[in-house]
Amino acid sequence: MIGIIGAMSIEVDGLLAIMTGRRDRTYCGIRFSRGKIGGTDVVIARSGVGKVMASMCASAMITRFAPSLIINTGVAGAVDPTLKIGDIIVSSGAVQHDFDTSPIDGTPKGWNAELGTVTVQADACSTGVLLRIANEEGISARPGIIASGDSFIADNEKKAELAAVFGASACEMEGAAVAAVAAYNHIPFVILRAISDGADNGAHMDFPAFCKFAADNSIRVLSRAIKELG
Ligand code: ADE
């Protein structure tokens, strides 16, 4: 069974629409929809926005459905300035950009002491499949580090910092939390995101204008990839 988590309805509704044999269950206040897409068993949840909701959702999903792979899907802000609206970024790894204990222990920003790393590595095989299918769909796609934190980034300076400190390609608000929960539980994960804005001073205007277009690109790629990933 593949587990799929998106923060917002716009990021998962297109997948729910093509699910067959759907059965819904609610755990921790989150609805989990189980069924098949392209003959593959999947469970899909809308977590809500931010790392707390994403962590709770991933934990409940693992406990209740024991997925063999967890995919976090949706939209992201571009940190790499060469990324364009609608382009796909697939995680090579994920970092929590707002996790910082450096003042008390001198560890690097983003350091996760429990996992002993800054960057949680994504499942390379799944990353490769998603990149190939995005290219086959005619969507520009590349691998990269996805930086997650509990803020919407709409600031040129913060964007530059995410690139300089973490080597991030894109930013969003859930992926690294899903990644950490998956890693703690020894479950492979991958993050698939399409660019909805530039995470820059104009991002608050671009996001509402392009969110649906970007979310649909992620859904298009994922709906085709599920069969292979399963
Ligand atoms: N998701 C989409 N765009 C984002 C941004 N600029 N910051 C955080 N999360 C996002």
Side-chain angles (χ1 to χ4, degrees):
M1 157 124 28
I2 295 180
I4 299 170
I5 297 173
M8 302 180 290
S9 298
I10 203 171
E11 296 172 312
V12 293
D13 281 355
L15 295 168
L16 290 170
I18 56 171
M19 178 185 267
T20 55
R22 175 174 164 181
R23 286 156 292 155
D24 289 354
R25 291 270 180 286
T26 298
Y27 301 109
C28 303
I30 296 173
R31 188 181 64 201
F32 292 84
S33 303
R34 184 178 180 169
K36 285 186 190 291
I37 293 180
T40 300
D41 285 321
V42 296
V43 56
I44 299 176
R46 183 194 65 82
S47 61
V49 174
K51 293 192 298 164
V52 170
M53 296 308 294
S55 305
M56 186 169 69
C57 183
S59 300
M61 182 178 272
I62 289 167
T63 306
R64 299 287 177 167
F65 299 94
S68 54
L69 170 70
I70 298 185
I71 303 170
N72 179 230
T73 185
V75 301
V79 173
D80 176 343
T82 67
L83 281 166
K84 298 191 176 51
I85 299 288
D87 285 359
I88 291 277
I89 180 95
V90 187
S91 58
S92 54
V95 301
Q96 292 184 65
H97 67 74
D98 55 358
F99 194 101
D100 184 9
T101 57
S102 61
I104 51 168
D105 59 16
T107 54
K109 284 187 180 177
W111 179 255
N112 184 321
E114 305 305 325
L115 293 172
T117 186
V118 172
T119 307
V120 184
Q121 297 300 323
D123 179 55
C125 177
S126 303
T127 299
V129 168
L130 289 165
L131 288 170
R132 177 172 52 73
I133 290 178
N135 282 313
E136 286 170 9
E137 287 290 313
I139 304 171
S140 175
R142 67 185 78 166
I145 292 174
I146 296 182
S148 311
D150 283 320
S151 315
F152 185 89
I153 306 297
D155 177 345
N156 292 352
E157 279 180 27
K158 186 70 188 175
K159 169 176 173 161
E161 183 189 317
L162 296 182
V165 176
F166 299 104
S169 296
C171 62
E172 37 81 310
M173 300 176 68
E174 297 83 22
V178 172
V181 172
Y184 289 132
N185 289 279
H186 309 288
I187 294 171
F189 81 93
V190 67
I191 305 167
L192 168 70
R193 298 273 178 163
I195 298 302
S196 57
D197 58 84
D200 52 11
N201 293 355
H204 61 294
M205 291 186 293
D206 288 342
F207 178 84
F210 300 114
C211 185
K212 174 87 172 82
F213 171 71
D216 285 351
N217 274 1
S218 285
I219 287 168
R220 184 144 64 98
V221 172
L222 189 50
S223 57
R224 258 198 65 192
I226 284 169
K227 202 175 188 145
E228 279 192 52
L229 294 171

